[in-house]
């Protein structure tokens, strides 16, 4: 039966995909599933929700920049695979999301595949496009495609190749997608073309990609790359080209960041002068290694960050969600008691007042007209009792509902929208269902078994860190720290 559950199927395909790439993360998925179970039983999650859907499983490296600056050539070289078309004409006008597959061939899928699959970073991208250009989301296939490729370099990350900034048609949508991709990316390589350092597309790129990024708090994820510098080797002073480029970046307000100058040794022009060639090559090799190190670092730190998220989510359930539900229950209980007391107290007082005023009391005995007739009837007594009981229950339930809303507003009012009001409302509602006594202090889903589950998730999270250390800290002998980027400032 569970086979046909779309949520489970999605998670299963996530597991399969991770299995080929990083088996430690398959165990991590299992831990997230345990959290899902607890979250559901506590009422935080509906059946359609899962922690695994909001975890960015693959770090995203996007390659943006000037058209014909060698982005696709760089990607092909990096993957060691002739995947993308290259050329001086605008050969590619789509964003290409490239991810790993252990199939022995490249598979190409339309953009819709990306939009509909939460495993991929561009899930629901059509909504973002529609926001910018209403109706354009339908044409998603004109903007996006997915390619799977067996290159080892793709294990554990996703690369996005982009069209240049030259196509004026569809510009808004393209910009919108670009911004969306930048937001999602862990690393953004911005390519410039050393052949035309002053061209229009260059200044467009500067405008969009440099000016817009300097005020971001994640500005360190941008690498600025002046590509094809082999073309400057024939000029009198290649350093000038580099300096002019840096000045242009600085003019846009960029004061620090990582700058690299590279070229492709196979498609680049041969440099005749030996001294020059050596100088160019050394700088190029250094910078390419720097870029590779950043890419590797992203891949490794992402895996650790996912583990951090696992521990953090377990912590949030226990240290934030649980106390809030308890505070809610407390506030609700108090309100129900007060309102019940006030309402039934007042009702009783009114009843006494009216009957006293009407003179139905003879000493301590109440003599209501018709009461003796009703009591004399064998059905009458029970009907009266049933009526009264139904009325009391009805009023009490209405009060529970009313008090629940009030208590909810109180707790939600003190919370940030980002903390998921919807989930809390679901949990609060679950805890106030009509058959739950207001005196039950233990929140729904918070039994011994779930407490043990959470404790296990936290313990496992630590164990996974060690497993990851084994995977990453050994073979190449490199740790993320050692491969951290050089401090290379672009400021002049
Ligand atoms: N001289 C030289 N040409 C390059 C270099 N990298 C790429 N090219 C050429 O520049 C053209 C555009 O490259 P492409 O990768 O398609 O650029 P994209 O539009 O940014 O993806 C192609 O003809 C490449 O062969 C380089 O480092 N030096
Ligand atoms: Mg290209």
């Amino acid at each position: 039966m569970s086979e046909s559950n779309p949520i489970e199927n999605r998670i299963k395909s996530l597991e399969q995909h991770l299995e080929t790439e990083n088996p430690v993360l398959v165990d991590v998925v299992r831990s997230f599933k345990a959290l899902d179970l607890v979250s559901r039983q506590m009422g935080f999650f509906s059946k359609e929700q899962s922690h695994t859907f909001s975890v960015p499983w693959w770090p995203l490296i996007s390659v943006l920049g000037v058209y014909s600056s060698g982005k696709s050539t760089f990607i092909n070289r990096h993957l060691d695979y002739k995947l993308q078309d290259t050329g001086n004409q605008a050969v590619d006008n789509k964003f290409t999301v490239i991810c790993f597959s252990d199939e022995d061939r490249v598979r190409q899928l339309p953009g819709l595949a990306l939009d509909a699959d939460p495993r991929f970073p561009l899930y629901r991208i059509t909504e973002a496009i529609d926001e910018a250009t209403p109706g354009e989301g339908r044409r998603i296939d004109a903007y996006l495609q997915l390619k799977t490729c067996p290159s080892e370099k793709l294990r554990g990350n996703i690369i996005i190749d982009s069209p240049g900034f030259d196509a004026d048609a569809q510009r808004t949508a393209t910009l919108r997608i670009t911004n969306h991709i930048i937001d999602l990316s862990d690393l953004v390589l911005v390519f410039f073309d050393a052949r035309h350092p002053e061209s229009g597309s260059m200044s467009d790129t500067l405008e969009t990609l440099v000016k817009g990024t300097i005020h971001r708090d994640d500005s360190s994820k941008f690498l600025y790359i002046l590509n094809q510098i082999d073309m400057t080797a024939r000029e009198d002073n290649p350093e000038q080209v580099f300096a002019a480029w840096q000045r242009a970046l600085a003019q846009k307000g960029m004061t620090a960041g990582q700058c690299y100058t590279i070229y492709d040794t196979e498609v680049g022009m041969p440099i005749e002068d030996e001294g020059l060639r050596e100088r160019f090559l050394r700088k190029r090799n250094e910078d390419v290694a720097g870029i590779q190190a950043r890419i590797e670092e992203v891949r490794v730190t992402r895996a650790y960050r996912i583990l951090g998220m696992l521990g953090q989510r377990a912590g949030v359930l226990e240290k934030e969600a649980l106390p809030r539900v308890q505070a809610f229950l407390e506030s609700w209980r108090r309100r129900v008691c007060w309102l019940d007391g006030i309402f039934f107290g007042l009702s009783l007082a009114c009843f006494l007042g009216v009957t006293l005023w009407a003179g139905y009391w003879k000493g301590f005995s109440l003599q209501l007209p018709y009461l003796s007739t009703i009591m004399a009837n064998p059905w009458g007594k029970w009907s009266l009792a049933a009526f009264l009981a139904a009325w009391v229950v009805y009023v009490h339930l209405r009060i529970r509902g009313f008090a629940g809303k009030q208590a909810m507003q109180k707790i939600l009012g003190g919370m940030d929208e980002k903390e998921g009001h919807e989930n809390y409302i679901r949990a609060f509602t679950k805890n106030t269902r009509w058959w739950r006594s207001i005196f039950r202090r233990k929140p729904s889903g918070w039994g011994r078994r779930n407490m043990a589950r959470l404790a296990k998730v936290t313990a496992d999270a630590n164990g996974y860190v060690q497993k990851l250390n084994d995977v990453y800290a050994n073979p190449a002998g490199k740790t993320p720290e050692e491969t951290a980027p050089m401090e290379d400032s672009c400021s002049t």
Side-chain angles (χ1 to χ4, degrees):
M1 206 176 69
S2 62
E3 281 299 313
S4 60
N5 181 338
I7 304 299
E8 275 190 22
N9 286 346
R10 251 192 236 168
I11 297 178
K12 203 167 283 165
S13 77
L14 170 72
E15 284 173 327
Q16 278 162 1
H17 207 117
L18 287 171
E19 191 98 51
T20 62
E21 286 191 352
N22 190 345
V24 178
L25 291 181
V26 179
D27 293 336
V28 178
V29 175
R30 283 192 197 115
S31 292
F32 273 116
K33 274 160 72 177
L35 282 191
D36 284 347
L37 197 65
V38 177
S39 302
R40 270 181 218 135
Q41 289 182 356
M42 286 178 80
F44 271 97
F45 273 8
S46 67
K47 283 202 185 73
E48 281 76 45
Q49 285 171 287
S50 166
H51 288 281
T52 58
F53 298 162
S54 55
V55 171
W57 291 100
W58 290 280
L60 197 62
I61 296 155
S62 52
V63 182
L64 307 172
V66 182
Y67 130 84
S68 201
S69 56
K71 300 182 292 293
S72 304
T73 308
F74 175 83
I75 290 174
N76 287 348
R77 186 79 54 221
H78 172 68
L79 299 180
D80 201 9
Y81 205 100
K82 172 106 192 54
L83 183 74
Q84 294 289 81
D85 290 336
T86 58
N88 273 321
Q89 264 58 49
V91 281
D92 231 332
N93 52 4
K94 287 183 194 172
F95 291 87
T96 310
V97 177
I98 306 165
C99 70
F100 179 76
S101 146
D102 52 4
E103 277 183 322
D104 207 12
R105 65 191 185 97
V106 170
R107 215 183 250 278
Q108 190 168 330
L109 296 160
L112 208 57
L114 288 158
D115 185 62
D117 193 334
R119 286 179 308 156
F120 293 115
L122 296 180
Y123 181 48
R124 296 215 171 129
I125 178 85
T126 45
E127 284 168 22
I129 300 175
D130 269 335
E131 237 171 71
T133 330
E136 218 33 33
R138 269 183 294 119
R139 306 201 324 113
I140 177 85
D141 291 346
Y143 295 105
L144 278 178
Q145 61 186 346
L146 169 67
K147 281 188 186 173
T148 65
C149 160
S151 166
E152 286 297 312
K153 289 282 176 58
L154 284 168
R155 279 183 192 271
N157 61 61
I158 287 178
I159 295 179
I160 298 189
D161 190 10
S162 60
F165 269 73
D166 241 18
D168 261 335
Q170 317 163 345
R171 204 177 154 80
T172 345
T174 306
L175 274 183
R176 178 75 207 194
I177 298 176
T178 304
N179 287 332
H180 193 76
I181 288 174
I182 289 178
D183 285 342
L184 295 171
S185 291
D186 296 272
L187 193 65
V188 183
L189 312 184
V190 186
F191 270 66
F192 294 86
D193 184 349
R195 293 175 300 182
H196 319 282
E198 326 280 336
S199 70
S201 61
M202 165 96 171
S203 62
D204 264 9
T205 307
L206 280 175
E207 207 56 52
T208 319
L209 290 176
V210 181
K211 209 170 167 197
T213 54
I214 44 175
H215 299 300
R216 302 174 66 108
D217 14 338
D218 56 355
S219 57
S220 64
K221 73 184 185 187
F222 292 84
L223 307 186
Y224 300 95
I225 297 167
L226 185 60
N227 193 24
Q228 316 193 349
I229 54 153
D230 55 291
M231 299 298 278
T232 67
R234 303 182 165 187
E235 295 180 24
D236 298 338
N237 197 348
E239 274 78 12
Q240 254 178 14
V241 178
F242 183 55
W245 173 62
Q246 286 198 316
R247 228 176 299 122
L249 293 182
Q251 264 168 15
K252 292 294 167 191
M254 203 184 72
T255 53
Q258 282 90 41
C259 289
Y260 301 87
T261 46
I262 62 168
Y263 62 96
D264 191 291
T265 44
E266 271 172 45
V267 301
M269 299 288 288
I271 303 171
E272 265 121 54
D273 183 303
E274 201 176 317
L276 202 59
R277 184 169 62 234
E278 194 160 297
R279 208 170 86 219
F280 266 66
L281 199 59
R282 197 176 335 111
K283 172 76 175 139
R284 180 249 171 212
N285 288 347
E286 236 176 68
D287 282 12
V288 167
I291 298 168
Q292 306 279 15
R294 283 297 298 264
I295 293 176
E296 174 66 11
E297 181 202 359
V298 157
R299 197 168 69 89
V300 172
T301 50
R302 170 55 69 85
Y304 285 97
R305 213 180 317 152
I306 290 174
L307 290 186
M309 283 176 89
L310 177 66
Q312 185 230 350
R313 299 264 173 105
V316 164
L317 273 183
E318 189 173 346
K319 303 210 171 68
E320 282 177 29
L322 180 70
R324 278 199 184 117
V325 174
Q326 281 169 329
F328 165 79
L329 279 178
E330 182 60 41
S331 160
W332 176 63
R333 181 184 311 123
R334 221 173 331 110
R335 278 162 213 264
V336 172
C337 289
W338 271 104
L339 288 173
D340 269 355
I342 290 170
F343 187 84
F344 290 111
L346 276 179
S347 302
L348 196 64
C350 284
F351 178 77
L352 284 177
V354 170
T355 47
L356 272 175
W357 174 77
Y360 290 138
W361 287 90
K362 302 278 181 285
F364 283 106
S365 125
L366 177 63
Q367 300 199 333
L368 282 176
Y370 310 118
L371 187 61
S372 51
T373 329
I374 291 172
M375 295 305 249
N377 184 318
W379 288 103
K381 207 187 324 185
W382 294 112
S383 308
L384 183 64
F387 172 77
L388 282 177
W391 182 74
V392 167
V393 167
Y394 172 77
V395 169
H396 173 69
L397 286 180
R398 291 301 293 258
I399 284 178
R400 283 168 60 116
F402 176 76
K405 284 208 184 82
Q406 299 266 313
M408 237 181 243
Q409 271 169 9
K410 185 182 151 213
I411 308 278
L412 293 179
M415 268 172 57
D416 202 333
E417 281 277 354
K418 283 197 213 103
E419 294 179 271
H421 283 195
E422 228 174 83
N423 289 351
Y424 276 98
I425 292 174
R426 194 179 300 109
F428 294 160
T429 311
K430 182 166 185 178
N431 274 284
T432 52
R433 281 179 305 186
W434 63 270
W435 62 86
R436 276 185 72 95
S437 155
I438 58 167
F439 298 109
R440 246 178 101 159
R441 281 173 195 270
K442 199 155 52 166
S444 175
W446 196 249
R448 207 172 290 163
R449 203 185 297 167
N450 277 346
M451 277 160 81
R453 274 196 187 113
L454 272 192
K456 181 165 174 352
V457 168
T458 313
D460 285 349
N462 295 330
Y464 299 144
V465 170
Q466 281 169 20
K467 279 197 203 163
L468 274 191
N469 288 345
D470 291 343
V471 174
Y472 289 122
N474 63 25
K478 283 187 288 190
T479 64
E481 286 75 23
E482 278 166 8
T483 56
M486 324 160 264
E487 282 301 318
D488 188 357
S489 170
C490 283
S491 57
T492 40

